[in-house]
């Protein structure tokens, strides 16, 4: 840690103009400021008035003390440190800080105002830590408690009308000079909010904009997105500058000069993210000043930056699904489906992911969150291992603290998201890619990802079939996508120079990152664009259908092209999850699509979804989830060797018969020619064509079956009935994966969920054979590849 005079605070309350009271200033110093003091591996406690060995934990604690004094105006004399909350002399239940409202309250042993729990030994504060803070606050009779470490600070109120264990987050704690009324107002200001509450609020904002500005639903959504992004930027700036004045309030807008100060905030927001291509330089906030003020007033009490990603994301998707249904809701895959699909492909650090039809970015965001959790948990383990190792060595407290501090700082550097090359920087900037052909959704995806912690830089407004930035063939460990269904790519859909949108500066940047692979991939696309070729001609699948498709390129369903596109984007051995209409799996005319997949990848699982899964998003088609794993080079060679052998054996089996029958019919043709019997000749020629086609079809089918027998592997099949969402978009029980919030259908448990069964099936498929024979619809099945 570096010396600093204050740590961060997450205050989001209304600005108050007066300064902290003079009697809250230590030693009569009206600056109310204390500074971190370090000396030879020790750190000064302004509360205990002594030098302490500076462990990483102690450094975090003393840094937060500067926040309580410098930013909140409390005097060190109003605070006790490392103090028992159950009485003098007690060795257990010791709070990091106990803060009284006044010196007199402390002297009179009255209940304190705030309990603070610092948790620097864990990179990630866990649920148990929140409950410990609540327990200490209840024991001491404090109405507020704080949980803090180097990564997050969260504020809580104690609900005396609720049983112990009930915790409720608020937006801030009181400052030292807060009045009774201000404390009551603060208690009432929930910092986070439930999904339904936020979804209702967004819906209310949407209605205000539609009614006042007479915009269609999609245009009204664009304006809500802009305002939400302004709010997110303001909150980030407040945190970065440790600023107490909140610019995102109706009161602040009222104090500004000019007719539309919110427009100025939008200009600053655009400028702050000018390199992210979120907004055109000339784009404006298309709201009248009174409308903008009302939207700000509706949103100002909530802190988006520090709200749980789950709550924020679920609310956002519910709002969009309910408001737009088929118009925009189609771009939002239900979160339970996203969660299940991401868990099925088991992402890990170092994996590179892509969604070529990213919509709102749900798959990419969940991938980012899951891998980030893994990285932080690994750093936790490394730090705790260092603690254990150092405790076993014959070291002085000072030596142990110095080594521990050095290791702590080393580990923190590996997860600094602003440090190029760190683990979190690499995750956000080199591992997440996506694009969407819809400009509105591409922008929404980028903004959504920024609010969730980043990873937006690899997301583009671009045709998912065409290479851009780091999205090109053979690049990805994981593909997750829910492509658009039902639309067609027409023969008239041709590439043009405008479809390859990269500036010279971007190309130089990407060449520096991806090298020759990027250069070669872009050269192929550039050549196709210059020749203005049909998009479908870039793919093999449109050429593998019926005879008419072989003769002339026709229209083709987008979901079919996305299957091929995703397989081509994968590295050998890469994992793939896609939402598809069930016709892909059972329509006889699409057998060539299924064979295309079987020729390139293992079919790992097929999970059938209820008909109503996507109703709330405006889609009525019944869908299933397909999971594949692309062949490695060795597996592909093995497959091709077995295919060649199977074809050769079947050819050899039928060739004598084909030769005999062909010779017989050709003799008939020759005889008809000699007799100048044109009708007989044509009939014999037609018979030969029919025979050869029938034998070709027979050989192909038998060779295919022989190949399946020799390249055999099990496939997990699952028919899901409850997937966490009803036809109207409401929450339902979920049998897809273990969960604590959705619950399970009757007679279900975590061990019965599809995810757990799939993992058991993968480890030992033989245990599922009996349940298949008994027709258990909820068990996995073994099917020949």
């Amino acid at each position: 840690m570096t010396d600093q005079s204050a740590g961060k605070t997450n205050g989001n309350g209304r600005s108050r103009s007066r300064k902290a009271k003079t009697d809250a200033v230590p030693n009569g110093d009206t600056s109310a400021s204390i500074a971190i003091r370090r000396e030879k591996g020790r750190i000064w406690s302004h509360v205990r008035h002594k030098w302490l060995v500076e462990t990483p934990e102690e450094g975090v604690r003393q840094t937060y003390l500067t926040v309580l004094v410098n930013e909140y105006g409390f005097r060190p004399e109003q605070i006790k440190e490392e103090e028992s909350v159950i009485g003098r002399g007690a060795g257990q239940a010791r709070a990091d800080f106990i803060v009284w409202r006044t010196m007199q309250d402390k002297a009179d042993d009255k209940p304190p105002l705030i309990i603070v729990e610092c948790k620097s030994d864990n990179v990630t504060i866990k649920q148990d830590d929140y409950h410990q803070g609540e327990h200490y606050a209840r024991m001491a009779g404090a109405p507020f408690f704080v949980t803090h470490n180097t990564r997050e600070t969260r504020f809580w109120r104690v609900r005396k009308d609720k049983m112990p264990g009930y915790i409720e987050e608020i937006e801030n704690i009181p400052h030292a000079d807060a009045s009774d009324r201000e404390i009551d107002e603060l208690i009432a200001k929930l910092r986070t909010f439930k999904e339904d509450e936020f979804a209702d609020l967004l819906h209310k904002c949407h209605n205000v904009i539609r009614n006042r500005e007479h915009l269609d639903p999609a245009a009204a959504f664009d304006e809500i997105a802009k305002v939400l992004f302004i709010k997110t930027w303001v909150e980030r700036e407040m945190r970065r500058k440790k600023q107490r004045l909140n610019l995102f309030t109706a009161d602040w807008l009222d104090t500004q000069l000019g007719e539309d100060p919110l427009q100025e905030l939008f200009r600053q927001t655009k400028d702050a993210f000018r390199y992210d291509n979120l907004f055109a330089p000339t784009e404006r906030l298309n709201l009248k000043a009174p409308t903008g003020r009302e939207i700000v007033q509706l949103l100002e009490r909530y802190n988006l930056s520090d709200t749980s990603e789950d709550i924020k994301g679920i609310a956002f998707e519910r709002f969009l699904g309910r408001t737009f249904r088929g118009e925009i809701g189609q771009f939002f895959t239900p979160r339970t489906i996203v969660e299940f699909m991401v868990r099925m492909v088991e992402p890990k650090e170092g994996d590179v992911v892509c969604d070529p039809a990213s919509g709102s970015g749900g798959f990419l965001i969940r991938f980012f969150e899951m891998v980030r959790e893994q990285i932080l948990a690994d750093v936790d383990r490394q730090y705790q291992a260092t603690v254990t190792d150092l405790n076993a060595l014959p070291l002085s407290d000072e030596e142990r603290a110095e080594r521990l501090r050095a290791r702590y700082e080393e580990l923190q550097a590996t997860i600094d998201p602003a440090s190029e090359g760190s683990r979190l920087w690499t995750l956000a900037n080199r591992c997440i890619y996506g694009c969407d052909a819809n400009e509105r959704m591409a922008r929404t995806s980028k903004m959504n990802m920024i609010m969730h912690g980043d990873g937006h830089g690899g997301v583009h407004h671009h045709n998912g079939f065409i290479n851009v930035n780091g999205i090109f063939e053979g690049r990805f460990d994981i593909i997750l996508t829910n492509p658009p269904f039902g639309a067609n790519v027409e023969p008239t859909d041709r590439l043009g120079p405008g479809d390859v949108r990269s500036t010279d500066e971007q190309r130089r940047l990407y060449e520096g990152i991806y090298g020759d692979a990027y250069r070669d991939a872009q050269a192929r696309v550039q050549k196709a664009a210059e020749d203005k070729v049909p998009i479908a001609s870039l793919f093999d699948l449109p050429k593998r259908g019926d005879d008419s498709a072989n003769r002339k390129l026709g229209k083709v369903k987008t979901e079919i092209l996305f299957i091929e596109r995703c397989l081509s984007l994968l590295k050998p051995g890469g994992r793939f999850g896609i939402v598809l209409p069930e016709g892909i799996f059972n329509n006889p005319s699409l057998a060539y699509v299924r064979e295309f997949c079987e020729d390139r990848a293992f079919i790992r699982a097929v999970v059938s979804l209820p008909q109503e899964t996507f109703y709330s998003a405006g889609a009525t088609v019944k869908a299933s989830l397909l999971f594949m794993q692309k062949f490695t080079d060795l597996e592909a060679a093995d497959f091709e060797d077995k295919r060649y052998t199977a074809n050769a054996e079947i050819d050899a089996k039928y060739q004598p018969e084909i030769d005999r029958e062909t010779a017989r019919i050709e003799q008939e043709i020759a005889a008809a020619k000699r007799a100048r019997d044109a009708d007989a000749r044509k009939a014999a020629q037609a018979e030969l064509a029919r025979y050869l086609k029938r034998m070709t079809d027979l050989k192909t089918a038998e060779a295919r079956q022989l190949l399946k027998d020799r390249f055999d592997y099990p496939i997990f099949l699952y028919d899901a009935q409850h997937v966490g969402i009803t036809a109207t978009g409401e929450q339902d029980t979920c049998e897809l994966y273990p969960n604590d919030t959705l619950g399970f259908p009757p007679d279900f448990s975590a061990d019965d969920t599809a995810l757990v069964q799939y993992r058991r099936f993968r480890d030992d498929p033989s245990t599922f054979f009996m349940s298949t024979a008994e027709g258990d619809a909820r068990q996995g099945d073994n099917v020949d590849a």
Side-chain angles (χ1 to χ4, degrees), residues 18 63 100 119 142 332 335 450 471 477 482 486 661 734 777:
R18 65 183 184 276
T63 299
W100 278 265
K119 294 291 179 182
F332 292 81
R335 288 184 68 87
I450 290 171
I471 302 175
D477 302 283
N482 179 8
E661 191 64 12
C734 181

Side-chain angles (χ1 to χ4, degrees), residues 380-673:
D380 285 350
R381 286 190 294 270
Q382 292 186 60
Y383 178 70
Q384 293 300 334
T386 301
V387 172
T388 301
D389 292 344
L390 291 177
N391 286 340
L393 297 177
L395 301 171
S396 67
D397 290 344
E398 288 77 10
E399 289 173 322
R400 186 176 292 108
E402 182 178 354
R403 294 194 190 185
L404 191 59
R405 195 165 58 248
R407 179 59 170 157
Y408 179 82
E409 292 174 357
E410 176 188 347
L411 290 172
Q412 291 298 305
T414 69
I415 56 172
D416 180 1
S419 176
E420 183 170 347
S422 76
R423 296 170 73 176
L424 289 184
W425 184 93
T426 300
L427 169 63
N429 292 278
R430 295 290 184 267
C431 295
I432 299 172
Y433 296 84
C435 54
D436 200 284
N438 182 289
E439 183 176 10
R440 175 174 290 114
M441 296 319 302
R443 176 190 293 178
T444 301
S445 176
K446 289 171 78 77
M447 290 194 295
N448 202 6
M449 296 191 74
I450 290 171
M451 286 194 290
H452 280 76
D454 233 308
H456 67 283
V459 179
H460 299 267
H461 168 222
H462 205 263
N463 188 326
F465 298 138
I466 303 171
N467 295 338
V468 62
N469 188 351
I471 302 175
F472 52 86
E473 296 81 1
R475 269 266 298 149
F476 297 98
D477 302 283
I478 293 174
I479 301 287
L480 290 164
T481 194
N482 179 8
F485 297 169
N488 295 308
V489 176
E490 303 285 346
T492 54
D493 292 334
R494 295 177 176 272
L495 276 176
D499 293 314
V500 185
R501 298 190 298 272
S502 294
T503 65
D504 290 342
E505 182 181 5
Q506 287 172 327
R507 283 192 291 273
R508 286 193 296 271
L509 172 65
Y510 302 149
E511 286 175 3
I513 297 172
Y514 311 116
D516 290 339
Y518 169 80
R519 233 183 323 266
D520 294 343
Q522 288 304 107
R524 291 193 299 272
V525 174
Q526 193 69 46
K527 178 67 166 60
E530 290 171 357
D531 294 343
K532 298 182 180 180
V533 302
I535 291 176
S537 70
L538 302 175
F539 296 84
D540 291 329
L541 270 172
K543 307 162 192 170
R544 290 170 55 97
D546 58 18
D547 288 340
S548 64
N550 284 321
R551 287 196 301 269
K552 183 179 180 181
L553 190 66
K555 64 183 180 182
V556 60
K557 295 291 185 185
T558 54
E559 60 264 30
I560 292 175
L561 292 190
F562 267 110
I563 292 173
E564 181 176 344
R565 174 62 168 166
C566 292
L567 282 170
S568 71
L569 289 172
L570 280 176
K571 297 176 182 176
R575 292 99 73 200
F576 174 27
I578 186 171
V579 184
L580 290 171
E582 287 215 334
I584 295 290
F585 301 91
N586 52 36
N587 189 327
S589 68
L590 297 177
Y592 73 99
V593 178
R594 297 189 287 274
E595 291 179 0
F596 182 90
C597 295
E598 292 170 354
D599 292 352
R600 290 159 176 78
F602 293 106
I603 313 298
R604 293 304 188 196
V606 177
V607 178
S608 177
L609 302 176
Q611 177 82 38
E612 64 272 13
T613 301
F614 295 97
Y615 277 4
S616 62
T620 58
V621 65
K622 180 169 171 47
S624 290
L625 309 178
L626 172 64
F627 297 93
M628 294 189 284
Q629 186 166 13
K630 190 173 181 178
F631 294 153
T632 64
D633 291 341
L634 286 176
E635 290 162 347
D638 182 40
F639 180 87
E640 290 302 326
D641 181 63
K642 287 181 168 63
R643 175 156 61 180
Y644 176 84
T645 302
N647 288 339
E649 289 183 18
I650 298 302
D651 283 343
K653 173 183 175 180
Y654 285 103
Q655 197 59 47
E657 176 188 337
I658 292 173
D659 290 343
R660 288 193 303 272
E661 191 64 12
T662 299
R664 182 187 67 77
I665 297 175
E666 286 179 343
Q667 288 176 358
E668 292 180 4
I669 293 172
K673 285 181 178 179

Side-chain angles (χ1 to χ4, degrees), residues 695-706:
M695 294 307 295
T696 298
D697 292 343
L698 176 64
K699 288 196 303 177
T700 298
E702 285 197 20
R704 190 81 194 175
Q705 187 56 52
L706 183 59

Side-chain angles (χ1 to χ4, degrees), residues 16 38 52 59-60 110 171 191 212 366 418 442 471 475 482 501 519 536 577 627 689 717 771:
R16 295 183 293 124
R38 289 180 167 91
L52 306 170
V60 169
K110 289 186 176 181
E171 67 169 21
R191 182 190 198 179
R212 289 194 172 194
R366 190 64 189 112
I471 302 175
R475 269 266 298 149
N482 179 8
R501 298 190 298 272
R519 233 183 323 266
F627 297 93
L717 302 182
S771 54

Side-chain angles (χ1 to χ4, degrees), residues 2-29:
T2 58
D3 288 357
Q4 52 188 343
S5 62
K8 70 181 180 182
T9 182
N10 293 326
N12 190 35
R14 183 174 299 173
S15 169
R16 295 183 293 124
S17 60
R18 65 183 184 276
K19 296 182 181 294
K21 295 178 182 177
T22 303
D23 65 2
V25 179
N27 302 319
D29 179 2

